[in-house]
Amino acid sequence: MSTLILGIESSCDETGVALVRTPASGVSDAGTPELLGHALHTQVAMHADYGGVVPELASRDHIRRLLPLTRQVLAQAGQTLSGIDLVAYTRGPGLAGALLVGAGVACALGASLGKPVLGVHHLEGHLLSPFLSADAPQFPFVALLVSGGHTQLMRVQGVGHYELLGETVDDAAGEAFDKSAKLLGLGYPGGPALARLAEFGDPQAYKLPRPLLHSGHLDFSFAGLKTAVLTQARKLEGSPCEQQRADLAASAQAAIVEVLVKKSLAALAGTGLRRLVVAGGVGANSALREQLNAACQARGVRVHYPELHLCTDNGAMIAMAAALRVQAQLAQTSTDYAFDVKPRWPLQSLSAA
Ligand code: KG4
Ligand code: ZN
């Protein structure tokens, strides 16, 4: 029997809902679960006036959007509420209030339908999001997880088997993009804006630090880069030269990308694995993709990304992670609906023994 899963994402500033169906069980080589439909509402416009995400406003907007988006996805997929077998939601990490909205709606839906619920780890969603592509990866692989709050290298043996190889000791890569963008007077969300400005700049114009590049381990540090960008941005104040701003944006992006590429290659060399999965919002960055593609091709390594529109937060990755857990018989579903959320939740703590 196949399982129809509704996935709900509400950990930050995107409201996402999706329907995924697992292939019928009992079939050998059952294949990858199928995405039947997904819908997304981004809160970017709402938070833009404040220069960043306002948690209370995020929660209120998730409440407004979730049920209409659910109806939209059901209609898109030609399904009805009563056909749903499992309601999956993002349990953490993320903004506590925003997570509570998704968990509350998921548990209310589950209770009213008499169907179980499953709390999903947001980063597991990102990590498994390349399974939504036609060219899905095979296990094992190294994963580079680069989002607004996390920068991690993981060894992934299979669903639920995640070994942390290295992570940031301070700012995340997405944060480095966002903070550099802010220093350059670019609005929220900073990463894509900085990437756009960087297209017109010289990545070698400013010599910016590549922290921990030759440290011999796989941890990252991006706080020093932010300070260096701040110092250079101050020098530009009063001389609003567009080319210099573009050069600084390109140089900041080059520093972040070089560290991410070199550490990913070191993780591949250290583990002996020949497959890399890149996931999380920063995975949408085209300079990162170009350099990783070139470096991996030269080494005979396959690199997988989620589709561009599924790099940032969405409901499809949550429904897919739930479906892969169901398939792997690792889904700890609940029918008591006494939900809690985990604003802080290390991914490696999920590892099945
Ligand atoms: O995964 P995500 O949507 O949310 C979190 O789970 O944090 O990632 C958001 C992060 C933000 O820091 C955003 O600036 C960054 O991803 N980002 C980018 C690009 N698109 C999104 N950074 C660089 N280049 C991009 N094209
Ligand atoms: Zn995310």
Side-chain angles (χ1 to χ4, degrees):
M1 262 227 329
S2 65
T3 308
L4 185 64
I5 300 170
L6 182 76
I8 291 177
E9 156 63 30
S10 72
S11 66
C12 191
D13 55 354
E14 324 273 356
T15 320
V17 179
L19 271 175
V20 163
R21 183 162 46 208
T22 65
S25 57
V27 182
S28 62
D29 188 21
T32 308
E34 183 193 0
L35 178 66
L36 302 184
H38 86 112
L40 189 73
H41 175 79
T42 176
Q43 302 178 349
V44 164
M46 186 181 76
H47 297 296
D49 289 347
Y50 303 90
V53 179
V54 183
E56 176 65 20
L57 294 184
S59 307
R60 292 184 195 186
D61 204 61
H62 288 310
I63 291 178
R64 252 196 311 273
R65 307 286 172 186
L66 271 173
L67 291 179
L69 285 177
T70 301
R71 272 197 292 274
Q72 191 180 321
V73 168
L74 286 166
Q76 205 184 90
Q79 302 288 331
T80 57
L81 267 181
S82 58
I84 292 170
D85 299 303
L86 174 66
V87 185
Y89 63 94
T90 305
R91 188 179 179 202
L95 301 170
L99 290 167
L100 281 167
V101 171
V105 169
C107 288
L109 271 176
S112 66
L113 297 170
K115 293 292 157 70
V117 295
L118 175 66
V120 172
H121 195 293
H122 179 82
L123 292 178
E124 185 174 41
H126 277 303
L127 186 87
L128 300 175
S129 60
F131 285 89
L132 291 157
S133 311
D135 179 28
Q138 280 170 6
F139 298 110
F141 52 75
V142 168
L144 172 67
L145 274 177
V146 273
S147 69
H150 294 83
T151 301
Q152 297 183 326
L153 278 161
M154 315 278 312
R155 180 196 187 111
V156 180
Q157 284 301 124
V159 176
H161 295 264
Y162 311 126
E163 180 195 341
L164 182 68
L165 300 172
E167 65 182 335
T168 183
V169 297
D170 43 51
D171 290 351
E175 233 173 324
F177 268 103
D178 293 339
K179 287 179 177 173
S180 300
K182 203 164 206 168
L183 293 169
L184 281 163
L186 301 169
Y188 145 90
L194 187 122
R196 276 194 298 277
L197 183 58
E199 279 177 38
F200 305 101
D202 172 4
Q204 285 165 0
Y206 290 87
K207 222 173 148 351
L208 297 173
R210 270 79 167 146
L212 302 184
L213 190 58
H214 302 293
S215 63
H217 56 66
L218 296 173
D219 283 343
F220 304 84
S221 165
F222 291 108
L225 174 65
K226 175 189 57 192
T227 312
V229 173
L230 173 66
T231 308
Q232 297 300 336
R234 282 214 176 119
K235 289 188 196 157
L236 296 186
E237 274 169 23
S239 74
C241 170
E242 266 310 299
Q243 189 56 51
Q244 280 174 327
R245 286 176 71 243
D247 287 347
L248 187 49
S251 302
Q253 175 174 268
I256 299 167
V257 166
E258 185 181 342
V259 175
L260 294 176
V261 171
K262 294 235 164 105
K263 294 270 177 180
S264 300
L265 295 178
L268 287 159
T271 55
L273 295 175
R274 320 218 36 89
R275 219 173 262 279
L276 177 69
V277 159
V278 183
V282 180
N285 185 269
S286 47
L288 176 65
R289 286 186 176 218
E290 274 163 30
Q291 291 184 35
L292 271 179
N293 288 345
C296 287
Q297 197 179 11
R299 288 162 182 78
V301 169
R302 283 289 311 275
V303 51
H304 296 261
Y305 307 89
E307 286 179 39
L308 214 47
H309 69 288
L310 297 175
C311 272
T312 45
D313 296 346
N314 62 82
M317 67 184 198
I318 300 305
M320 177 55 86
L324 291 171
R325 278 200 163 255
V326 166
Q327 255 188 327
Q329 300 187 338
L330 287 172
Q332 291 178 337
T333 60
S334 143
T335 45
D336 67 4
Y337 312 112
F339 60 90
D340 65 351
V341 294
K342 294 190 167 203
R344 288 172 183 275
W345 191 9
L347 179 60
Q348 59 276 24
S349 71
L350 295 188
S351 264

